[in-house]
Amino acid sequence: MNWETVKLDANENFFIPRVFLSSLVKEVADEVDLRLYPSDRLYTLLIREISSFLNVPSESIIIGNGSDDLIALLVKTLARRGIIITNPTFRIYKWAAKVFNVKIYESILATSFDINVNDVLRFNDAADLCFVCSPNNPTGNQFRIDDLEKLIGEFNGIVVIDEAYVDFADYSAINLLGKYDNLIIARTFSKGFGLASFRLGFLVTSYELADKLRFSIPPFNVNTVSVLMGVKMIRNKSIVEEAIKKLKIERERLINALSIINGIKPFNSKTNFILFKTEMNANYIYNYLYRNKVFVRRFDEPPLNKHYLRVTVGTPDMNDIFIDVLKRAISHENI
Ligand SMILES: Cc1ncc(COP(=O)(O)O)c(C=O)c1O
């Protein structure tokens, strides 16, 4: 691995200490017989841990091999006619719909990146599954809870709220689960908990939907090490909370640093990344950063393809390098 690169393109969490994770993996390796298949008892242990952490019934939880995998499962199992997405958003929903040959209906976010619920509801009769990413990747904002509730209440099909970034945000829609049985909350251990390499995600929903989904999952779908890492991370949640606190402080510092660069406009963020608008061509800046081993995310579709980039909130050192190279990219073009 080349440690000289500054990898800020995939919203990984660099605030969870690396040594802490390796010490937990070593504990896991000593505690279990890695030659064996994962057991039901093991899955129950993680589900119970999530249940008490989030205060939701165990029967409503489905664990999976990362939330990407669970998103594919949702489309495969629940979408017959079509899915709705609110663009710009996380690209996996569209990918899954293409794989399973399901129609895609797109509602465009307002210029403030707010969701337009009435516009989404235009597709009420055409689609049976609606994906809402809140906080939204890549815009970074969290949709208003009353907008989400209106959508869940008025949509005839099932609404999936992807809360991958909720640990960095202000609230969760999980409390609406008791009120609506057409709601699915998707979560991951990849972001707040920093376990991206382990591929661990879960869904929380009504008993009826959970039963239906459980039926479609093969046995042993999540590996033993990941399950136990999930358990240990929840048991060590104070370390996670501390890391998130530091990340949020750094997020504000990075937004401020970006906002004082001429020709750059960062957007507020409730996530561990920041979307920013560039007066210059975004591809030029992306390539300049790339040549200097700073990786950020660019977009290949309108409306973000020409003048927007997304950067992960890295450690202060990583962000300093990013800001420095970004400034150089901008001054070079001006010469
Ligand atoms: C909104 C959103 N949902 C889900 C995921 C994927 O999570 P996982 O690593 O659990 O597959 C990501 C990853 O970037 C994401 O941005």
Side-chain angles (χ1 to χ4, degrees):
M1 172 113 28
N2 178 3
W3 293 110
E4 286 169 30
T5 57
V6 178
K7 190 179 178 310
L8 300 173
D9 59 349
N11 306 335
E12 288 134 338
N13 183 350
F14 299 100
F15 287 74
I16 302 289
R18 258 188 89 184
V19 283
F20 170 63
L21 291 189
S22 7
S23 71
L24 290 190
V25 175
K26 282 174 199 139
E27 273 179 35
V28 170
D30 288 338
E31 282 166 16
V32 289
D33 185 341
L34 293 169
R35 295 169 300 183
L36 305 186
Y37 281 109
S39 64
D40 280 347
R41 202 174 54 81
L42 189 74
Y43 289 159
T44 307
L45 184 67
L46 176 60
I47 287 171
R48 284 218 186 108
E49 211 62 54
I50 297 171
S51 155
S52 59
F53 173 54
L54 294 178
N55 200 16
V56 291
S58 294
E59 297 85 338
S60 63
I61 300 167
I62 305 280
I63 56 171
N65 193 23
S67 45
D68 284 352
D69 213 42
L70 290 167
I71 289 163
L73 171 83
L74 291 174
V75 175
K76 183 173 95 175
T77 320
L78 303 175
R80 289 283 161 269
R81 283 169 295 145
I83 68 159
I84 309 173
I85 57 173
T86 62
N87 262 336
T89 195
F90 186 44
R91 59 185 169 163
I92 295 293
Y93 317 132
K94 213 174 187 173
W95 164 80
K98 284 183 182 158
V99 169
F100 295 108
N101 214 6
V102 170
K103 269 200 158 167
I104 302 161
Y105 299 92
E106 303 189 30
S107 169
I108 307 300
L109 297 180
T111 42
S112 56
F113 300 139
D114 280 322
I115 189 170
N116 181 340
V117 176
N118 288 331
D119 190 63
V120 176
L121 289 170
R122 274 190 303 137
F123 306 117
N124 214 345
D125 294 329
D128 32 28
L129 192 61
C130 175
F131 282 98
V132 180
C133 185
S134 181
N136 188 37
N137 178 8
T139 55
N141 57 316
Q142 188 169 28
F143 300 131
R144 288 172 26 192
I145 194 78
D146 45 346
D147 278 341
L148 296 179
E149 184 160 6
K150 177 176 156 71
L151 174 63
I152 301 159
E154 296 186 22
F155 186 55
N156 298 330
I158 295 160
V159 177
V160 181
I161 302 189
D162 182 345
E163 292 196 329
Y165 298 97
V166 79
D167 301 317
F168 311 106
D170 298 335
Y171 58 83
S172 166
I174 208 155
N175 297 331
L176 297 176
L177 277 171
K179 228 168 141 185
Y180 300 95
D181 54 15
N182 63 334
L183 171 62
I184 299 175
I185 303 281
R187 296 276 189 102
T188 177
F189 279 86
S190 300
K191 308 297 177 182
F193 286 84
L195 295 189
S197 66
F198 291 90
R199 315 305 302 123
L200 185 61
F202 61 94
L203 305 172
V204 193
T205 184
S206 62
Y207 294 169
E208 197 187 323
L209 279 175
D211 274 348
K212 192 166 174 180
L213 292 166
R214 219 173 271 122
F215 180 74
S216 311
I217 292 177
F220 318 121
N221 69 324
V222 189
N223 74 75
T224 299
V225 180
S226 298
V227 171
L228 283 175
M229 283 299 286
V231 170
K232 284 177 188 285
M233 289 304 278
I234 295 178
R235 288 182 181 167
N236 281 284
K237 64 174 184 289
S238 60
I239 291 182
V240 176
E241 282 161 4
E242 191 55 34
I244 292 172
K245 214 156 104 189
K246 287 189 185 145
L247 191 150
K248 285 181 175 174
I249 294 170
E250 184 58 16
R251 177 175 75 193
E252 298 320 301
R253 187 184 80 93
L254 185 54
I255 290 178
N256 285 333
L258 283 165
S259 65
I260 56 177
I261 301 176
N262 246 338
I264 298 289
K265 182 191 170 216
F267 294 89
N268 271 336
S269 169
K270 298 294 178 188
T271 65
N272 68 335
F273 60 82
I274 296 163
L275 180 76
F276 59 97
K277 191 168 183 187
T278 62
E279 236 167 55
M280 282 179 182
N281 181 287
N283 257 325
Y284 160 78
I285 295 180
Y286 173 88
N287 286 326
Y288 190 97
L289 289 165
Y290 190 89
R291 280 198 306 277
N292 286 278
K293 299 185 178 173
V294 178
F295 304 149
V296 297
R297 178 83 162 79
R298 65 176 161 185
F299 304 98
D300 45 21
E301 277 181 23
L304 301 183
N305 54 334
K306 291 210 169 95
H307 290 284
Y308 293 83
L309 293 168
R310 190 197 72 192
V311 64
T312 306
V313 179
T315 59
D317 286 353
M318 295 166 94
N319 298 334
D320 286 346
I321 297 172
F322 158 66
I323 290 289
D324 185 52
V325 180
L326 178 64
K327 282 181 181 162
R328 279 197 276 134
I330 289 172
S331 61
H332 275 210
E333 170 109 343
N334 285 339
I335 290 169

